[in-house]
Amino acid sequence: MAARIGGIKPLFSRTNNRFIRNSVVLFETGDNHALVFRRKKHMNPWKNSESEGSVEIEIGNRPLKISTGKLARFADGCAVAQIGDTSVMVTAVSKTKASSFASFLPLTVDYRLKAAAAGRIPMNHLRRERGPTDVEILTSRLIDRSLRPLFPAGYFHDTQIICNSLAVDGAHDPDIISINGASAALALSDIPWNGPIGAVRVGHVDGEFVINPTRLQMTRSKLNLVVAGSRKSNVVMLEASADNILMNDFCKGIKLGVKEIQQIILGIDKLAKTHAKDKREVEETFSVPQDITDAAREMAKDRLYEVFSDFSHHKFSRDRAVSDIRTECIEKLTETFADSDSQLIVEAFNKVVKETFRNIIFDEYRRCDGRTLTALRDINCEVDLYSPLHGSALFQRGQTQVLCTVTFDSIESAIRADPVTEIVRAMKEKNFMLHYEFPPYATNETGKMFASRRELGHGALAEKGIKAVIPDDFPFTIRLTSEVLESNGSSSMASVCGGSLALMDAGVPISAAVAGVAVGLVTKSDPDNATNIADYRMMTDILGIEDYLGDMDFKMAGTKKGITALQADVKLPGLPLKIVMEAIQQATSGKKEILDIMNKTIKKARNNRKDNGPVCENLEVPISRRARFVGPGGYNIRKIRAQTGVTITQVDESNFSIFAPTPSAMNEAKEQIEELLKDDREMELEFGGVYTATITEIRDIGVMVKLYPTMTPTLLHNSQLDVRRVSHPSALGIETGQEISVKFYGRDPATGQMRLSRKVLMAPSTPALRNLGGRTTTPKTTTPPTSTS
């Protein structure tokens, strides 16, 4: 029945099928009629097809599609980037007010690789996504380093970029897609940002460069180079691992990547012209008034020059001298500019410190510790520090000190990739790992001991630098730990040097020694155009203060022949290719000089591993004796492991790998294995031969028999006892200890068990019987019972 609303009855309703659904309703009240227009039931007032847009860019013979306006429209900016069937949604949100007491851009990038996007279920006990994995953290850092340099100076508003994988096809890695999606999201948003940027991956497959190679192509690539760039072919970020690739080939890869990036930038610009929001006007950009800066310069410039020109200073004495000047100047500036924010006064002093420090490098071509621009710090190397360790080295470069240790373990100790990472990165297990540790005491501080994002990033870079020289067929899992004991710049590259020394000390046959060095940069902008670089100076083997006050941290590792890893962090909106090529050349020269110093301590890997090192041997166990060796449910193997500490791993159906932490443990395990198998000497049996078997046990399904005393009993099934159907061996009058004749038909290829038959001997003609006791007889014919039930 039609319901009444306030005394008004609808003439048409849903019940009489004449009601036009949620469109027009005719009401009557007395003699009056009224038409009321209502919104259609499924119409969405928020949907606006005009806000949707997309662009398709051809990159490396594969289309990159970027779309916007359909998903996550409450965000300041949102873009969905897609290559192949891999899609990533990236959102950008920034607060409208600056963060209190912030002196840098509080940018957060969260990259999450959802298991559902790869068609899998998380394998933790809750079966849902937990905290970020190492791969997600490293990818988040990659995106952050690509975007951060292009935010305007003084923009200190909380900003968050979230990259959410929607679908993963297993062929295209989402990390490159995420960088381009983040660039598009910021370009489409109202957040102040001097983009867009573009990013590509460059591979080197079968002697040819490939742009954005697939997962299968990456397994054959000698280069994994990620390039992020901006307009005018400038480089913003570099991240690379390589199989000792030549410098010329590496430079070609960078140039090719930058060229392809320009197409991505043009595509994002095209989409932004029609669908981007107007950039917001930021009222509270952080900038220091010129009068405060001039006053700070007058008070502190000369005194700071004296500190930075005193070559006797080390890290802490220099910091204390600058701190004393800072305290005195800030007190005087606070009295002079009482109405100004204290943060502005501190920033004015910092600006003078940076200006004075960089001017010395520009004007005098020397650095605060007295070195020339290309000189290295003093280097000292030591190996074999502690005899119980499998390998160890201490690498000291200036005031950066790193202790590296090598540990061998069984192949079972290799890192197994989770299912999602296995799909995306084509990595099932990793038998070489480098763990980088940066404890607080390395910089005379206190704090918690945990692996931060920075430590994961530095460790991953050092691991890339060394991984290329590790032999593929090494029989152990290698864990290389790098503990930074003192830090004053370039500790990750010191980890590469120390790690290479420790591996050679441990006897790992690496293909060549590896060294790493960091190159810094200071620049002067063109007065007419702040984005153009008018002049620059490049420094080899930078200190911590040179990294902090400089414009670039360019780390490169490799052998004398080529490059194995590279990472470039830039603080400018982009670097011309000329400067990048010059940095590679300068790093190559520094790397060769470091390798010459390292070779004086140890030039190649030791011929033999240390006596107390682990041992790995292969054991061949015939299939017929495998069950006795393994034991019920693996009991014998677990027992040997518990008593000796060895690890036994089955390689194939008849081979086992035995890993022992020490030679003595291996000898003890061998004795137990020999004792276990000594009574199971297999005799040579002839296929088709007839033998005398002794019954040792009667079971419901057959009898257990032995052909010779030391043999492990094997089953003679009921179906092979007689020509007639036998439901139980007792029906034939068979007893334990009785001798019967059986024919040997070899072994089962799957289980290794003997295949014996008594049934075939029940025929009238029977061959000569072979008794393994040494005599040959003719078997007696016995008449079986008439009943077999």
Side-chain angles (χ1 to χ4, degrees):
M1 296 179 62
R4 292 179 179 272
I5 304 175
I8 303 175
K9 182 180 74 173
L11 294 179
F12 303 111
S13 67
R14 293 186 180 89
T15 58
N16 56 22
N17 294 326
R18 291 180 296 167
F19 176 70
I20 303 174
R21 182 178 296 178
N22 287 335
S23 179
V24 180
V25 183
L26 178 61
F27 288 94
E28 70 169 349
T29 170
D31 296 331
N32 298 322
H33 296 78
L35 281 175
V36 180
F37 290 88
R38 297 172 59 185
R39 179 176 64 84
K40 288 184 179 180
K41 184 177 181 181
H42 297 296
M43 187 174 70
N44 183 2
W46 174 243
K47 184 175 180 180
N48 182 4
S49 60
E50 294 180 359
S51 66
E52 297 183 17
S54 64
V55 65
E56 194 167 289
I57 312 156
E58 194 72 18
I59 301 295
N61 298 324
R62 294 183 182 88
L64 166 64
K65 183 180 179 181
I66 301 176
S67 58
T68 186
K70 184 177 180 180
L71 305 178
R73 286 165 291 179
F74 283 166
D76 291 332
C78 175
V80 177
Q82 178 179 353
I83 297 180
D85 289 328
T86 298
S87 299
V88 180
M89 182 186 73
V90 185
T91 58
V93 177
S94 184
K95 290 185 177 180
T96 56
K97 293 185 178 181
S99 302
S100 301
F101 307 108
S103 58
F104 61 93
L105 171 65
L107 173 65
T108 304
V109 178
D110 290 310
Y111 168 87
R112 299 306 298 269
L113 184 58
K114 301 292 183 67
R120 300 301 298 265
I121 296 175
M123 297 307 295
N124 56 66
H125 69 286
L126 292 177
R127 296 300 186 266
R128 64 182 300 171
E129 277 83 9
R130 304 293 298 275
T133 63
D134 288 358
V135 172
E136 291 171 330
I137 291 173
L138 294 174
T139 305
S140 297
R141 285 173 53 88
L142 195 73
I143 300 168
D144 183 300
R145 290 161 42 211
S146 303
L147 303 176
R148 187 180 292 272
L150 280 88
F151 281 90
Y155 185 76
F156 297 155
H157 297 234
D158 280 309
T159 306
Q160 186 177 34
I161 308 293
I162 297 180
C163 304
N164 185 9
S165 56
L166 302 179
V168 176
D169 61 9
H172 304 91
D173 200 321
D175 57 357
I176 296 297
I177 303 174
S178 299
I179 298 175
N180 291 311
S183 172
L186 285 170
L188 293 164
S189 72
D190 61 347
I191 302 172
W193 190 61
N194 301 320
I197 63 164
V200 296
R201 171 174 274 110
V202 182
H204 194 255
V205 183
D206 300 331
E208 298 291 335
F209 287 104
V210 181
I211 299 297
N212 289 343
T214 62
R215 184 185 70 162
L216 182 60
Q217 289 175 317
M218 283 304 302
T219 59
R220 298 182 287 114
S221 177
K222 292 185 176 181
L223 175 65
N224 183 3
L225 168 65
V226 177
V227 186
S230 58
R231 292 187 177 92
K232 300 180 181 179
S233 298
N234 286 340
V235 175
V236 176
M237 189 277 304
L238 292 172
E239 181 82 20
S241 60
D243 188 9
N244 208 13
I245 194 170
L246 297 177
M247 183 185 72
N248 291 337
D249 291 337
F250 193 88
C251 294
K252 288 179 183 177
I254 295 176
K255 293 175 182 178
L256 179 62
V258 171
K259 180 181 178 182
E260 294 289 338
I261 283 169
Q262 302 309 305
Q263 301 301 318
I264 299 175
I265 294 173
L266 291 175
I268 296 175
D269 279 336
K270 181 180 177 181
L271 184 63
K273 283 181 181 179
T274 55
H275 294 83
K277 301 176 183 178
D278 295 332
K279 294 297 181 182
R280 68 180 69 163
E281 295 182 2
V282 182
E283 299 178 357
E284 299 179 0
T285 52
F286 189 85
S287 59
V288 181
Q290 187 62 39
D291 55 343
I292 300 180
T293 304
D294 292 340
R297 184 181 294 111
E298 186 177 350
M299 288 184 188
K301 180 180 178 180
D302 294 339
R303 297 175 62 186
L304 289 171
Y305 178 85
E306 292 179 4
V307 172
F308 294 141
S309 300
D310 186 353
F311 307 146
S312 64
H313 278 306
H314 54 75
K315 175 183 173 69
F316 293 109
S317 64
R318 186 182 299 110
D319 290 348
R320 283 193 295 268
V322 173
S323 180
D324 292 341
I325 300 172
R326 175 186 288 108
T327 301
E328 183 179 340
C329 288
I330 288 177
E331 289 180 358
K332 293 180 179 179
L333 290 172
T334 302
E335 295 175 359
T336 306
F337 301 94
D339 297 334
S340 299
D341 189 350
S342 60
Q343 190 175 355
L344 292 174
I345 295 175
V346 172
E347 190 60 29
F349 179 83
N350 293 338
K351 188 175 181 180
V352 175
V353 171
K354 183 175 182 179
E355 179 184 284
T356 306
F357 184 86
R358 293 159 68 101
N359 284 340
I360 293 175
I361 298 174
F362 269 108
D363 300 336
E364 303 180 18
Y365 289 86
R366 62 177 175 82
R367 297 146 78 173
C368 63
D369 58 357
R371 287 183 293 153
T372 61
L373 300 185
T374 58
L376 300 173
R377 289 174 285 177
D378 293 336
I379 295 176
N380 183 53
C381 308
E382 297 180 42
V383 296
D384 197 13
L385 279 77
Y386 303 100
S387 56
L389 301 179
H390 299 162
S392 59
L394 183 68
F395 182 83
Q396 179 95 37
R397 178 161 51 191
Q399 288 184 296
T400 296
Q401 186 185 70
V402 174
L403 173 65
C404 293
T405 60
V406 173
T407 305
F408 298 134
D409 211 323
S410 67
I411 297 298
E412 282 188 345
S413 302
I415 296 177
R416 266 72 176 180
D418 60 274
V420 180
T421 304
E422 185 176 329
I423 291 174
V424 176
R425 294 291 174 91
M427 182 192 74
K428 293 185 177 180
E429 63 180 26
K430 186 171 72 170
N431 63 351
F432 169 70
M433 63 202 82
L434 188 149
H435 292 156
Y436 172 94
E437 301 173 4
F438 195 96
Y441 60 76
T443 52
N444 193 29
E445 296 175 354
T446 60
K448 295 182 179 180
M449 295 283 291
F450 68 95
S452 64
R453 289 193 170 201
R454 175 186 174 277
E455 290 184 34
L456 286 175
H458 282 51
L461 176 62
E463 182 178 301
K464 291 176 184 177
I466 298 177
K467 182 176 175 58
V469 299
I470 301 293
D472 295 331
D473 57 350
F474 196 68
F476 304 112
T477 296
I478 306 173
R479 180 176 185 249
L480 174 60
T481 59
S482 173
E483 185 171 1
V484 182
L485 307 182
E486 300 172 0
S487 177
N488 188 14
S490 191
S491 58
S492 60
M493 293 297 95
S495 299
V496 173
C497 301
S500 176
L501 293 168
L503 288 169
M504 289 189 287
D505 178 57
V508 179
I510 60 177
S511 57
V514 184
V517 67
V519 175
L521 176 75
V522 291
T523 62
K524 283 186 177 180
S525 301
D526 188 343
D528 299 329
N529 188 349
T531 60
N532 292 338
I533 298 176
D535 195 9
Y536 64 91
R537 299 286 185 273
M538 210 168 288
M539 303 162 290
T540 302
D541 187 18
I542 57 175
L543 300 170
I545 190 172
E546 292 171 336
D547 181 11
Y548 179 71
L549 299 177
D551 296 323
M552 179 185 73
D553 185 9
F554 189 97
K555 306 183 186 76
M556 194 180 84
T559 65
K560 280 194 173 182
K561 175 185 175 182
I563 298 171
T564 57
L566 185 144
Q567 184 183 92
D569 294 331
V570 181
K571 300 177 185 178
L572 303 173
L575 287 179
L577 277 172
K578 174 190 173 184
I579 295 180
V580 174
M581 298 300 115
E582 186 177 335
I584 294 175
Q585 181 63 52
Q586 190 160 323
T588 300
S589 301
K591 174 192 64 176
K592 290 180 179 179
E593 190 175 345
I594 296 169
L595 285 170
D596 290 337
I597 298 173
M598 292 168 55
N599 288 341
K600 295 177 182 178
T601 301
I602 183 169
K603 192 171 184 178
K604 62 179 182 178
R606 300 185 189 276
N607 295 328
N608 299 312
R609 292 188 291 271
K610 295 185 178 181
D611 294 337
N612 63 339
V615 183
C616 185
E617 294 185 10
N618 289 326
L619 174 67
E620 185 176 356
V621 179
I623 297 177
S624 59
R625 292 191 283 173
R626 185 175 60 192
R628 183 183 182 96
F629 174 65
V630 175
Y635 171 78
N636 291 341
I637 290 180
R638 292 198 303 271
K639 181 180 178 182
I640 295 172
R641 181 171 186 170
Q643 292 179 351
T644 64
V646 303
T647 301
I648 301 176
T649 306
Q650 187 168 356
V651 178
D652 53 37
E653 60 181 9
S654 61
N655 288 291
F656 292 79
S657 175
I658 304 177
F659 170 84
T662 59
S664 60
M666 176 63 78
N667 295 333
E668 187 179 350
K670 281 183 176 180
E671 291 177 2
Q672 293 196 17
I673 293 172
E674 195 172 325
E675 182 71 22
L676 182 65
L677 299 177
K678 74 176 183 179
D679 293 333
D680 195 14
R681 307 300 181 191
E682 181 178 353
M683 300 189 66
E684 294 294 332
L685 302 179
E686 181 183 347
F687 186 90
V690 179
Y691 299 93
T692 299
T694 303
I695 299 174
T696 61
E697 182 183 354
I698 297 177
R699 298 183 178 180
D700 291 341
I701 60 173
V703 295
M704 303 297 293
V705 298
K706 280 185 176 184
L707 300 186
Y708 48 90
T710 60
M711 172 183 162
T712 301
T714 189
L715 176 68
L716 180 60
H717 196 267
N718 285 339
S719 62
Q720 298 299 325
L721 283 175
D722 197 82
V723 294
R724 292 171 294 174
R725 181 177 179 275
V726 178
S727 60
H728 194 277
S730 60
L732 299 177
I734 293 176
E735 298 178 354
T736 303
Q738 180 180 342
E739 292 185 351
I740 60 175
S741 300
V742 294
K743 194 169 186 177
F744 176 69
Y745 284 102
R747 295 184 178 275
D748 187 295
T751 64
Q753 295 295 324
M754 286 187 181
R755 293 187 293 190
L756 304 175
S757 177
R758 179 176 179 266
K759 178 172 67 175
V760 298
L761 300 179
M762 305 303 292
S765 60
T766 304
L769 174 65
R770 300 184 183 185
N771 190 307
L772 297 180
R775 65 183 185 277
T776 301
T777 61
T778 302
K780 295 181 179 180
T781 303
T782 58
T783 304
T786 57
S787 174
T788 60
S789 60

